[in-house]
Every structure is written in C-alpha cells, then in structure tokens.
Amino acid sequence: MGSLIEMSILTEAVRYTVDCLPRLRAIVVYDCCGDDKATREIFAHATESGIEVVIPSNALKTRNATLRLSRERGLHGQD
C-alpha cells in the first residue's frame, strides 16, 4: 500500500461497502504485496462482519513474495 492516507481511504471504502450491502457474502481481493498483513487490516471490518475475504495468488504477488524473502535472507542484491 502506497501511503497511510491511501490505506485509510480504502479501509473506509470497504467499511462503507460492507455496511451498505447487507447481502454481500464474499470479496475477492487481487493484491500484489508480498504478504497479506496490510490487506487483512484493510478488510478486517468485512471479515468481522462475516464476509469471506479471498486473496488468490497471482504472478505479481508470487514474484513480490519471492523478492521479499530473498531480501530478508540476504540473497538479493541492493535495489
């Protein structure tokens, strides 16, 4: 996620969507981050409201997760 302001706006948009669509049962989130922590925080209200939040794997997400692990292990050069 780019900035705290963007994250806050998106979190509020999710809250508004969940609150205004009572028949909503699932949200599919296409995320490109290396881990799901920020995404889970953004969609916490949906999860707490009983809505399934699905974050499928995709090529960009897999690549970013691999690069993050490489950096953490010191296997990747300086960016």
Side-chain angles (χ1 to χ4, degrees):
M1 181 80 353
S3 74
L4 292 177
I5 293 171
E6 290 173 343
M7 188 171 170
S8 177
I9 291 169
L10 185 53
T11 301
E12 286 305 311
V14 169
R15 178 177 294 280
Y16 179 82
T17 301
V18 167
D19 292 346
C20 291
L21 297 173
R23 295 177 56 188
L24 185 63
R25 299 289 173 247
I27 300 172
V28 178
V29 180
Y30 288 93
D31 178 28
C32 63
C33 296
D35 71 40
D36 295 340
K37 183 179 178 186
T39 305
R40 294 282 177 203
E41 289 175 13
I42 291 167
F43 288 88
H45 180 66
T47 303
E48 292 162 2
S49 298
I51 296 169
E52 180 182 11
V53 176
V54 180
I55 307 172
S57 186
N58 61 64
L60 186 57
K61 183 177 185 68
T62 301
R63 181 195 71 121
N64 289 343
T66 301
L67 288 174
R68 182 179 49 82
L69 288 173
S70 294
R71 282 192 298 271
E72 288 173 359
R73 293 180 180 153
L75 300 175
H76 194 272
Q78 294 287 351
D79 288 327

